[in-house]
Amino acid sequence: MDIEQARALVNNHLDELSPELRVINKALHDNPETGFNEFFAHDTLTSFLEKRGFQVKRKTYGLDTSFEATLGSGGRQVVVCAEYDALPDIGHACGHNLIATSSLATFLSAAHAMSTLHIPGRLRILGTPAEEGGGGKARLIDAGAFNPPDDVAAAIMAHPTASHQIGAAEDNFSGLAGLKLICSHKFQVEFHGATAHAGGEPWKGTNALDAAVAAYASVGMLRQQIRPDERIHGVIEVGGTVANVIPGYTRMNWNVRSATVARADKLLARVKACLEAGALASGCTVNYIFAPTYMDLRANKSLCKTYVEDMAKIGEKVMLDQTVPFNASTDMGNVSYLVPSFHGAFTIPTAPDAAAHNPKFATAAATDEAHVAAMNCAKGMAMLALRVLTDDSLASGAREDFNTPDS
């Protein structure tokens, strides 16, 4: 492959497509949908691909809002992951409209270069619903979307961020290649007791609210004894109805995070001890309802280095490494444990006090400047995909990095 010829094809094609992709970007932003309910996004993205001549599989892998389209046959395979779910009440405050746009742009521009230059290999775009807590990629993994794992040379995507979140502003970086995020266990816990009249016969009740309150207080004390990069979040979702009825049932929602899966498992055991102590003290029984665990995101050195080099060719200065993981989580971490993966970050202009999961970030994600940043990122990811498909040393290096990750 003539790299410079491929780069020109990618860049020119994206410059031509950008106005149409801006319309897609705005449509997704204006119609936010929560996880597993992204029907507008699913139909918008698949229709756009179909209009450009791609055969698209809708509602794939048992998920009504997943989709995929593939170009090529045989050879190595690169999977471009697209996210498009929003947050309840605050819409695209994590900028997944930009993720969908950059992933779509990556796929279209790389496919254009593959077709024009007759580049061998397979390029696939995979719609991945419900990143915001639903574990869509974990479900896709279970359903075989990446099978066999040895057949996937790389899975790639990127996430918008505010400059201060990754320490990029000081040195005028426009993004980060080696984004690192931590592991997260997500679960609900139910306490079952017995209802009774709180005034007339309280001795006949077993107070499930007492179990939840005692558990919450115990975890609060535990927080003083955890590492600085660990996090425990919890809320009481169901705490009773009226004051004169002893609650026989309560439910809490918890999130336990640590830097790696092994450390998160240890912290989870400590949290469960607090929850079970609350149940024991109140005389209640306890039940756990676990959601998919978000594994920590592993950065692949070979893929990151290549992306930084290609972004430099279009005048973008991108950080290679993130020394300390950011204390957030993604189900792309699960993918990074299965196949060589790239999950970069690109900065968008925001107010100084705006960051992801803030309404001001949703506003920033709708701007023309944010769209330009997504397009620039797509140019780098398209080149990364093409180079993985054509460069044996890069593909083998990425596989070696995957097999021997940093401890």
Side-chain angles (χ1 to χ4, degrees), residues 2 179 209 276 279 314 324 371:
D2 185 320
L179 182 65
L209 181 57
E276 289 158 15
I314 60 171
V324 179
H371 176 73

Side-chain angles (χ1 to χ4, degrees), residues 83-250:
E83 297 173 5
Y84 31 84
D85 60 320
L87 290 156
D89 301 324
I90 55 176
H92 279 292
C94 208
H96 290 192
N97 60 303
L98 295 170
I99 295 177
T101 306
S102 64
S103 294
L104 181 63
T106 297
F107 176 77
L108 291 172
S109 58
H112 175 67
M114 286 178 68
S115 298
T116 303
L117 300 178
H118 307 291
I119 295 172
R122 289 161 291 157
L123 181 69
R124 177 159 57 113
I125 184 169
L126 177 65
T128 63
E131 189 277 337
E132 294 291 355
K137 293 185 192 64
R139 296 194 186 192
L140 287 168
I141 288 171
D142 291 342
F146 295 89
N147 286 348
D150 289 346
D151 189 48
V152 179
I156 65 176
M157 63 167 288
H159 199 296
T161 185
S163 294
H164 71 268
Q165 286 190 283
I166 58 172
E170 295 82 356
D171 297 303
N172 295 317
F173 286 108
S174 63
L176 167 67
L179 182 65
K180 295 179 182 178
L181 301 177
I182 63 177
C183 176
S184 176
H185 288 303
K186 304 168 184 285
F187 62 97
Q188 294 170 305
V189 58
E190 298 177 311
F191 295 106
H192 293 271
T195 58
H197 194 294
E201 296 180 315
W203 55 86
K204 291 186 177 180
T206 303
N207 197 319
L209 181 57
D210 285 348
V213 171
Y216 191 89
S218 296
V219 173
M221 290 184 283
L222 172 62
R223 285 192 184 101
Q224 301 176 63
Q225 315 300 327
I226 63 177
R227 297 188 182 193
D229 60 349
E230 295 180 329
R231 299 288 187 271
I232 307 171
H233 330 287
V235 296
I236 298 176
E237 294 183 319
V238 178
T241 53
V242 294
N244 64 345
V245 176
I246 291 174
Y249 173 81
T250 56

